[in-house]
Amino acid sequence: MAFIVINPNSTAAMTDSILAMAQAAAPGAAFEGWTSTLAPPAIQGPADVAAATPPLLELVTQAARRGAEGVIVACFDDPALAEARACAPCPVIGIGQSAFHKAALRGWRFSVVTTLPAAIPTVEGNIRGYGLSQHLGRVRASNVPVLALEEDTEAACARVAEEAERAVAEDGIDAVILGCAGMARVTGHLRTRLPVPVIDGVEAAARFISVL
Amino acid sequence: MAFIVINPNSTAAMTDSILAMAQAAAPGAAFEGWTSTLAPPAIQGPADVAAATPPLLELVTQAARRGAEGVIVACFDDPALAEARACAPCPVIGIGQSAFHKAALRGWRFSVVTTLPAAIPTVEGNIRGYGLSQHLGRVRASNVPVLALEEDTEAACARVAEEAERAVAEDGIDAVILGCAGMARVTGHLRTRLPVPVIDGVEAAARFISVL
Amino acid sequence: MAFIVINPNSTAAMTDSILAMAQAAAPGAAFEGWTSTLAPPAIQGPADVAAATPPLLELVTQAARRGAEGVIVACFDDPALAEARACAPCPVIGIGQSAFHKAALRGWRFSVVTTLPAAIPTVEGNIRGYGLSQHLGRVRASNVPVLALEEDTEAACARVAEEAERAVAEDGIDAVILGCAGMARVTGHLRTRLPVPVIDGVEAAARFISVL
Amino acid sequence: MAFIVINPNSTAAMTDSILAMAQAAAPGAAFEGWTSTLAPPAIQGPADVAAATPPLLELVTQAARRGAEGVIVACFDDPALAEARACAPCPVIGIGQSAFHKAALRGWRFSVVTTLPAAIPTVEGNIRGYGLSQHLGRVRASNVPVLALEEDTEAACARVAEEAERAVAEDGIDAVILGCAGMARVTGHLRTRLPVPVIDGVEAAARFISVL
Amino acid sequence: MAFIVINPNSTAAMTDSILAMAQAAAPGAAFEGWTSTLAPPAIQGPADVAAATPPLLELVTQAARRGAEGVIVACFDDPALAEARACAPCPVIGIGQSAFHKAALRGWRFSVVTTLPAAIPTVEGNIRGYGLSQHLGRVRASNVPVLALEEDTEAACARVAEEAERAVAEDGIDAVILGCAGMARVTGHLRTRLPVPVIDGVEAAARFISVL
Amino acid sequence: MAFIVINPNSTAAMTDSILAMAQAAAPGAAFEGWTSTLAPPAIQGPADVAAATPPLLELVTQAARRGAEGVIVACFDDPALAEARACAPCPVIGIGQSAFHKAALRGWRFSVVTTLPAAIPTVEGNIRGYGLSQHLGRVRASNVPVLALEEDTEAACARVAEEAERAVAEDGIDAVILGCAGMARVTGHLRTRLPVPVIDGVEAAARFISVL
């Protein structure tokens, strides 16, 4: 059976770009992309997380029942990860979690460029919860809403790049982490533009899940 | 409208003793006790938490819709508290959380006497997450399963008391916290037996919810 | 007997506004307001704390001797709280402590607006000591000295409001905490002006003390 | 070019079993095993670390010069990891670090079974330094010296297994981590005997290095 | 002018042995020993600290007025150190603080052998407050009350030594810290008996105060 | 025998000014200044630390063999301190470590003014590792490279002073720490210019080493 990449929001176009990134990151593994059709179209705050949790746990349970080798929860906020793990015997990892641990394994200090300012406390809290704050420069908002990444990719990419450049200039970092599953589609472009490594959580998770 | 005390497991007898404790603790307030009928009969580990989360969030949402003044999640593990808060505009607090903060406000060092050893990591993790580890002596298991508190209250009470006495003798503490919603029914007896204050999470939550 | 609210500085006008706030916050409880007449007129740094500590402990001892049900130390710096607790068997809580724990119980992230920049390290240190830094946005100075709150309330209120608005705009917070006992008299006005809850430490302490 | 697994002590037999484990763990990758011939025969305390550091850094520098794709420092104490990283542009990871991060990615609580009691403070300190203490049950000594693992494997294995069983019984853990590179040769046997996953640092590092 | 060593309890015999230790530790400096005559005879818990604080601050103020070069607060609990500092422009250090920082500067892991179990939480809390918990093995009680050190020195010494030997055997430490000012009189004997360095807080403070 | 002050970089002029500062700081003690001739001319990042570590450990070993009473590692980054301690039975301390502990013993909050922005993460990490972050205002770069302190002392001094003045104005601190061994030569001038104490790590270490 395959690894299941669950997009816990209901925007199927995001699932497509996430799956493409995962498959490219670990070509020898088999991935399926599932969309959580009963969830909100984007997860941008605790109310969205609450609404997205029950259908997410239901999908993880289904994945387990169908013998999934591993599950990736493909939202950078790593919603309900502990509960999701209890629904499946296989490895269940988050894309935020994977990005932070990749940087930690390399010994890198990083900044995160995420979407809206409202997303900052959750990301900061997760990094603190994982125990990895010593690697954190700063969590920065690009002021690009999640869905703008789908709708006007070019403009969104430019704004993410600007904030990432500020992070490089000001935060004394070794790497930039892209703080939204939807940014998978601009990772390539950013790598040509930034002088430090760019970590994408989907890519990191797709590689980790196959070796855990 | 009233304060809603949600028992996130499906054992109605527990809801009764919890509601009785809450009402006695804050006689001037109005409480309703709701049982999460779709949840497991007891929450004793991450798999139970995962199964209990979706119906719990559904009940919190209903409570909000009916204009609840406040919600108490009456399981000592404080499951899905952040998500529950996102489902309701009123205060939503946990009984573990309330017990720990009561001790902290008094400046007390405490030990927790809980049910089975498997419950220890979650309780320790919650205390650490709340930032209150500096008040913790030790989390101790009484080896009394949750439902034994309903089925053979006297024997269960004796074993909880023994472990609590060991905590007083060995942990250098100012107070004992009872680490299970079902222990509300033995709180009174323990208070006659122990030389230090006994904190019950349901009682603490019922008092806090009316002043937040 | 009543709850005693001790103003640990010697400015009696501050005691009056503190007592009025406490009484309004918990109308069913009886409060007395005591002024520490041998203390400095305001507590704005470690030298003032040192001078204020002996008369404060003397007042707490007197309160205990007269059978106080509880004691509130009504200075936002929470001076000598551990020592004060050792002088009385009843609950002894601070107003800074109460404000921070109220926010924590609600799961809120908060910023503090205090008086002068010199007050910032003490407040930050207390929050860290209580273990609640994960809830902190930023501690901000309004550059309003303590006594200006008594002498030119209107101008002081305007400056506190401006800094609070900056906190809301920049810190990603759910609530603002007013960082001085003397701000009790501007709490009402600020609540009409700010889009997030405003926590007053005197109010929080007056409610908590009656349920501990 | 290949991944270089450096055994920072001078016992070549240990290099052999380490290399065999690495190759088995990631069959698609190419590994070379290097022995630090100028180092002490075993690293069991800060004096050994000090003596082992200069030749280790020299080997990492050589690996970089020869175009290594990645370097594994195969001593569970993760000696001089930060300095080693500065000697090579490729990923440089430790086997202790890899074991702890593997457990963290799975959301597991773990205990470590290491060699002598003198090794405990270093391992505890490393886990704290990585920020992963929230996952730690206990670091336990098996009282088996490093070289006994080579010289009397069967007896050593029995004692490691006993301590690991105690960890499972007493520490409330999800997994056991073997705390010495030399334990790679008993991992298989322990997996047949213990009821929880057994994490070997060499195996974890060999898999991580190929996906970083 | 001289350095003032303040014994914050009223037992003058303790002041004598403390002063002798300080003078021997820094023979080139001039020390005066002051007894806090209005304080309790021993400080063994928060109530004693509260009673001892006002006369202590008064003595620190007097020392400052008389031009003291530095002040040592010679109680291992480091009572009211922050407030004491605010009463004097010269360095003010505690003997617990000095002992812990001496170990930290040497890179040592230590255990503390103190008097009664009731003293443990304060000592643990202080070490945590100083940020030095990573150096702590364990805080252990010898069950020797403070004044027994004056009244039956030989028996007291034997019991302290036994607990210190247990610490060496079980805690994986580099040094033992004696956790009471009154233990200065047994330091010499313990040094002949224990295989690791014995740190006395009075000695450490007497040396530090002259170089700050 | 004497105390050995090791300059772990190869710039002999720096050794001279370091030795002069150490000797002036503790006139009664005998110091020798050793230059690590095989190291890079300045240590400004992890690559320099890696290159400087082996010759540094070699020098510490020689110092031990020649009976040194103590060793000071005179680079503010405190490179390889744990390893260095394992090479010598005498006290081995760093100058960054000494500066931070001096401030902590005084109860001071401090900011550090260092050389280039790239030095900030190491200094922050060290302070966190020592457990002293609660004393830290901010680590600030003066944008003065290490060797500029030797080559154009006057201009370098002016820029360090400007950044230190900003720290005093903005960070709410009690003291400024100079974050480079080479700043010893500007300490005197800065003390005439700044309104708060200026801590020099070489001076602090020279005083501590003689009393440990």
Side-chain angles (χ1 to χ4, degrees):
Chain A
M1 216 276 172
F3 298 100
I4 309 300
V5 185
I6 302 179
N7 172 13
N9 73 39
S10 59
T11 302
M14 265 182 82
T15 314
D16 294 345
S17 63
I18 290 168
L19 181 62
M21 170 59 99
Q23 198 60 71
F31 292 94
E32 283 182 27
W34 293 10
T35 304
S36 183
T37 49
L38 301 176
I43 298 181
Q44 297 185 104
D48 294 327
V49 169
T53 294
L56 168 61
L57 296 181
E58 180 52 33
L59 289 176
V60 176
T61 306
Q62 277 182 35
R65 224 176 285 137
R66 289 167 59 175
E69 279 185 78
V71 171
I72 293 173
V73 177
C75 168
F76 198 80
D77 284 355
D78 294 340
L81 214 49
E83 288 85 353
R85 279 195 191 108
C87 299
C90 62
V92 177
I93 62 177
I95 64 169
Q97 182 200 28
S98 296
F100 309 139
H101 277 276
K102 173 170 177 168
L105 279 163
R106 294 295 306 261
W108 285 341
R109 181 176 156 101
F110 61 81
S111 284
V112 178
V113 179
T114 184
T115 51
L116 302 181
I120 294 177
T122 299
V123 174
E124 285 181 351
N126 284 350
I127 296 171
R128 199 168 41 232
Y130 298 136
L132 303 179
S133 296
Q134 74 269 33
H135 292 277
L136 177 62
R138 223 173 116 190
V139 181
R140 291 164 167 271
S142 62
N143 288 304
V144 173
V146 172
L147 296 182
L149 288 157
E150 307 298 316
E151 289 152 11
D152 186 356
T153 306
E154 203 168 333
C157 181
R159 280 155 74 187
V160 171
E162 273 165 43
E163 193 63 32
E165 282 167 344
R166 261 195 294 277
V168 172
E170 298 171 10
D171 300 352
I173 52 174
D174 304 301
V176 166
I177 290 179
L178 299 181
C180 173
M183 290 182 186
R185 63 172 64 215
V186 302
T187 306
H189 177 76
L190 288 170
R191 283 186 173 148
T192 65
R193 188 158 159 185
L194 292 173
V196 299
V198 174
I199 299 179
D200 179 89
V202 176
E203 185 184 65
R207 293 191 181 167
F208 278 145
I209 197 77
S210 61
V211 300
L212 283 178
Chain B
M1 216 273 175
F3 297 100
I4 309 300
V5 185
I6 302 179
N7 173 13
N9 73 40
S10 59
T11 302
M14 264 182 81
T15 314
D16 295 345
S17 63
I18 289 168
L19 181 62
M21 171 58 99
Q23 196 61 71
F31 292 94
E32 283 183 27
W34 292 9
T35 304
S36 183
T37 49
L38 301 176
I43 298 180
Q44 297 185 102
D48 294 327
V49 169
T53 294
L56 168 61
L57 296 182
E58 179 53 34
L59 289 176
V60 176
T61 305
Q62 276 181 37
R65 227 176 283 135
R66 288 166 60 174
E69 279 185 78
V71 171
I72 293 173
V73 177
C75 167
F76 198 80
D77 284 354
D78 295 341
L81 214 49
E83 287 86 353
R85 277 194 193 111
C87 298
C90 62
V92 178
I93 62 178
I95 64 170
Q97 182 201 30
S98 296
F100 309 138
H101 277 277
K102 174 170 175 167
L105 278 163
R106 293 295 305 263
W108 285 341
R109 181 175 155 102
F110 61 82
S111 284
V112 178
V113 179
T114 185
T115 52
L116 302 181
I120 295 177
T122 299
V123 174
E124 286 180 352
N126 284 350
I127 295 171
R128 198 169 40 233
Y130 297 136
L132 303 179
S133 297
Q134 75 269 33
H135 292 278
L136 176 62
R138 224 174 114 191
V139 181
R140 290 163 168 272
S142 63
N143 287 305
V144 173
V146 171
L147 295 183
L149 288 157
E150 306 298 315
E151 289 152 12
D152 186 355
T153 306
E154 205 168 332
C157 181
R159 279 156 73 188
V160 170
E162 273 165 45
E163 192 62 31
E165 283 167 344
R166 263 195 292 278
V168 172
E170 297 171 11
D171 300 352
I173 53 174
D174 304 301
V176 166
I177 291 178
L178 299 181
C180 174
M183 291 185 185
R185 61 173 65 215
V186 303
T187 305
H189 177 75
L190 288 170
R191 283 187 173 145
T192 66
R193 189 160 159 183
L194 291 173
V196 300
V198 174
I199 299 178
D200 180 89
V202 176
E203 185 184 67
R207 292 191 181 166
F208 277 145
I209 196 77
S210 61
V211 301
L212 283 179
Chain C
M1 216 276 173
F3 297 100
I4 310 300
V5 185
I6 302 178
N7 172 12
N9 73 41
S10 59
T11 302
M14 265 181 82
T15 314
D16 295 345
S17 62
I18 290 169
L19 181 62
M21 171 58 99
Q23 197 60 71
F31 292 95
E32 283 182 28
W34 293 10
T35 304
S36 183
T37 49
L38 301 177
I43 298 180
Q44 296 184 105
D48 294 327
V49 169
T53 294
L56 168 61
L57 296 181
E58 179 53 33
L59 289 176
V60 176
T61 306
Q62 277 182 37
R65 226 177 283 136
R66 289 166 61 174
E69 280 184 76
V71 171
I72 294 173
V73 177
C75 168
F76 197 81
D77 284 354
D78 295 339
L81 214 50
E83 288 85 352
R85 280 196 190 108
C87 298
C90 62
V92 178
I93 61 176
I95 63 170
Q97 182 201 29
S98 296
F100 309 138
H101 278 276
K102 174 170 176 168
L105 278 163
R106 295 295 305 264
W108 285 341
R109 182 176 156 101
F110 61 82
S111 283
V112 178
V113 178
T114 184
T115 52
L116 302 181
I120 293 177
T122 299
V123 174
E124 285 181 351
N126 284 350
I127 294 170
R128 198 168 41 231
Y130 297 136
L132 302 179
S133 298
Q134 75 269 33
H135 293 277
L136 176 61
R138 220 173 118 191
V139 181
R140 291 164 166 270
S142 63
N143 288 304
V144 173
V146 172
L147 296 182
L149 288 157
E150 306 299 316
E151 288 152 10
D152 186 356
T153 307
E154 204 167 333
C157 182
R159 279 155 73 188
V160 170
E162 273 165 44
E163 193 62 31
E165 283 167 344
R166 262 195 293 277
V168 172
E170 297 171 11
D171 300 353
I173 53 175
D174 303 302
V176 166
I177 290 179
L178 300 180
C180 174
M183 290 183 186
R185 63 172 64 214
V186 303
T187 305
H189 177 75
L190 288 170
R191 284 186 172 147
T192 65
R193 189 158 158 185
L194 291 173
V196 298
V198 174
I199 299 179
D200 179 89
V202 176
E203 186 184 65
R207 292 189 181 168
F208 278 145
I209 197 77
S210 61
V211 300
L212 284 178
Chain D
M1 216 277 173
F3 297 101
I4 309 299
V5 186
I6 302 180
N7 172 12
N9 73 39
S10 59
T11 301
M14 264 180 82
T15 315
D16 294 346
S17 63
I18 291 168
L19 181 62
M21 170 58 100
Q23 196 61 71
F31 292 94
E32 284 182 27
W34 293 8
T35 305
S36 183
T37 50
L38 300 176
I43 298 180
Q44 295 186 103
D48 294 327
V49 169
T53 295
L56 168 61
L57 296 181
E58 179 53 32
L59 289 176
V60 176
T61 306
Q62 277 181 36
R65 226 177 283 135
R66 289 166 60 175
E69 278 185 78
V71 170
I72 294 173
V73 177
C75 168
F76 198 80
D77 284 355
D78 294 340
L81 214 49
E83 287 86 352
R85 278 194 191 110
C87 298
C90 61
V92 177
I93 63 177
I95 64 170
Q97 182 201 29
S98 296
F100 309 138
H101 277 276
K102 174 170 175 168
L105 279 163
R106 294 295 306 263
W108 286 342
R109 181 176 156 101
F110 61 82
S111 284
V112 178
V113 178
T114 183
T115 52
L116 301 180
I120 294 177
T122 299
V123 174
E124 285 180 352
N126 284 350
I127 295 171
R128 197 169 41 230
Y130 298 135
L132 302 179
S133 296
Q134 74 270 34
H135 292 276
L136 177 62
R138 222 174 116 190
V139 181
R140 292 164 166 271
S142 62
N143 287 305
V144 173
V146 172
L147 296 183
L149 288 156
E150 307 297 317
E151 289 152 11
D152 186 356
T153 306
E154 204 168 332
C157 182
R159 279 155 74 187
V160 170
E162 274 166 43
E163 193 63 31
E165 282 167 345
R166 262 195 292 278
V168 172
E170 297 172 10
D171 300 352
I173 52 174
D174 304 302
V176 166
I177 290 179
L178 300 181
C180 175
M183 291 184 185
R185 61 172 66 215
V186 303
T187 304
H189 177 75
L190 288 170
R191 283 186 174 147
T192 65
R193 189 159 158 183
L194 291 173
V196 299
V198 174
I199 298 178
D200 180 89
V202 175
E203 185 184 66
R207 292 190 181 166
F208 278 145
I209 197 77
S210 61
V211 300
L212 284 178
Chain E
M1 216 276 173
F3 297 101
I4 309 300
V5 185
I6 302 179
N7 173 11
N9 73 40
S10 59
T11 302
M14 265 181 81
T15 315
D16 294 344
S17 63
I18 290 168
L19 181 61
M21 171 57 101
Q23 197 61 72
F31 292 95
E32 283 182 28
W34 293 9
T35 304
S36 183
T37 49
L38 300 176
I43 298 179
Q44 296 185 105
D48 294 327
V49 169
T53 295
L56 168 60
L57 296 182
E58 179 53 34
L59 288 176
V60 176
T61 306
Q62 277 182 36
R65 226 177 283 136
R66 288 166 61 174
E69 279 184 77
V71 170
I72 294 172
V73 177
C75 168
F76 198 80
D77 284 354
D78 295 339
L81 214 50
E83 288 85 353
R85 277 195 192 109
C87 299
C90 62
V92 177
I93 61 177
I95 64 170
Q97 183 200 28
S98 296
F100 309 138
H101 278 277
K102 174 170 175 167
L105 278 163
R106 294 296 305 264
W108 285 341
R109 182 176 155 102
F110 61 82
S111 283
V112 178
V113 179
T114 185
T115 52
L116 301 180
I120 293 177
T122 299
V123 174
E124 286 180 352
N126 284 350
I127 295 170
R128 198 169 41 231
Y130 298 136
L132 303 178
S133 297
Q134 75 269 35
H135 292 277
L136 177 62
R138 220 173 116 191
V139 181
R140 291 163 166 271
S142 62
N143 287 305
V144 172
V146 172
L147 295 182
L149 287 157
E150 306 299 315
E151 289 153 11
D152 186 355
T153 307
E154 205 168 331
C157 181
R159 280 156 72 188
V160 171
E162 273 164 46
E163 193 63 30
E165 282 166 345
R166 262 195 292 277
V168 172
E170 297 171 10
D171 299 353
I173 53 175
D174 304 302
V176 166
I177 290 179
L178 300 180
C180 174
M183 290 184 186
R185 62 172 65 214
V186 303
T187 305
H189 177 75
L190 288 170
R191 283 187 173 146
T192 65
R193 190 160 156 182
L194 291 172
V196 298
V198 174
I199 299 179
D200 180 89
V202 175
E203 186 183 67
R207 291 190 181 167
F208 278 144
I209 197 78
S210 61
V211 301
L212 284 177
Chain F
M1 216 275 172
F3 298 100
I4 308 300
V5 185
I6 302 179
N7 173 12
N9 73 40
S10 58
T11 302
M14 265 181 81
T15 314
D16 294 345
S17 64
I18 290 168
L19 181 61
M21 171 57 101
Q23 197 60 73
F31 292 94
E32 283 183 27
W34 293 9
T35 304
S36 183
T37 49
L38 301 176
I43 298 180
Q44 297 186 103
D48 294 326
V49 169
T53 294
L56 169 60
L57 296 181
E58 179 54 32
L59 289 176
V60 176
T61 305
Q62 276 182 38
R65 225 176 284 137
R66 288 167 60 175
E69 280 184 76
V71 170
I72 294 172
V73 177
C75 168
F76 198 80
D77 284 355
D78 295 340
L81 214 49
E83 287 86 352
R85 278 195 191 109
C87 299
C90 62
V92 177
I93 61 177
I95 64 170
Q97 182 201 30
S98 297
F100 309 138
H101 277 277
K102 174 170 176 167
L105 278 163
R106 294 297 304 265
W108 285 342
R109 181 177 156 101
F110 61 81
S111 284
V112 178
V113 179
T114 184
T115 52
L116 301 181
I120 294 178
T122 299
V123 174
E124 286 180 352
N126 285 349
I127 295 171
R128 197 168 42 231
Y130 297 137
L132 303 178
S133 297
Q134 75 269 34
H135 292 277
L136 177 60
R138 220 173 119 191
V139 181
R140 290 164 166 271
S142 62
N143 288 305
V144 173
V146 172
L147 296 183
L149 288 157
E150 306 298 316
E151 287 152 12
D152 186 355
T153 307
E154 204 167 332
C157 181
R159 278 155 74 187
V160 171
E162 272 165 44
E163 192 63 32
E165 283 167 345
R166 263 195 292 276
V168 172
E170 297 171 10
D171 300 352
I173 53 174
D174 303 302
V176 166
I177 290 179
L178 300 181
C180 174
M183 290 183 185
R185 62 173 64 215
V186 302
T187 306
H189 177 76
L190 288 170
R191 283 186 173 146
T192 65
R193 189 159 158 183
L194 292 172
V196 298
V198 175
I199 299 179
D200 180 90
V202 176
E203 185 184 66
R207 292 190 181 168
F208 278 145
I209 196 77
S210 61
V211 301
L212 283 179

